[in-house]
Amino acid sequence: MSAIFNFQSLLVVILLLICTCTYIRSMTAILDRRKTGFLGTFWKCARIGERKSPWVAACCLVMAVVILFY
C-alpha cells in the first residue's frame, strides 16, 4: 500500500523527510540559498527540524516504538 493512503506510513515519511533535510542542511550549503520553489519545501522541512528538534526527536522515538511493538 502506498504511504499516501496509510496515515502511519505518511507520518513516517514526513518525519524521515524532516530529519533528512535537517541533516543535509547541517552538512552542506545546498538548502541555504533556496527558499522558494521545489527546494524551498526541503528548506522549510530543514527549518522545522532545526527549530523543533526536541519535538521531532520525540516523535521519531514514539514512531519507532509504535512500529516495533504494534
Side-chain angles (χ1 to χ4, degrees):
M1 182 180 273
S2 176
I4 296 172
F5 300 116
N6 189 353
F7 186 68
Q8 182 179 355
S9 298
L10 180 65
L11 289 177
V12 170
V13 168
I14 291 171
L15 281 172
L16 286 174
L17 179 68
I18 290 171
C19 294
T20 303
C21 290
T22 306
Y23 178 76
I24 289 172
R25 186 163 188 259
S26 70
M27 292 297 170
T28 64
I30 293 173
L31 298 177
D32 287 340
R33 294 174 263 140
R34 307 281 178 147
K35 295 182 183 175
T36 59
F38 182 69
L39 287 178
T41 305
F42 299 129
W43 178 82
K44 290 175 186 174
C45 289
R47 293 299 287 182
I48 291 171
E50 289 172 352
R51 293 183 179 228
K52 306 282 186 188
S53 60
W55 291 101
V56 172
C59 289
C60 286
L61 287 175
V62 168
M63 191 57 69
V65 169
V66 167
I67 288 172
L68 287 175
F69 296 113
Y70 293 108

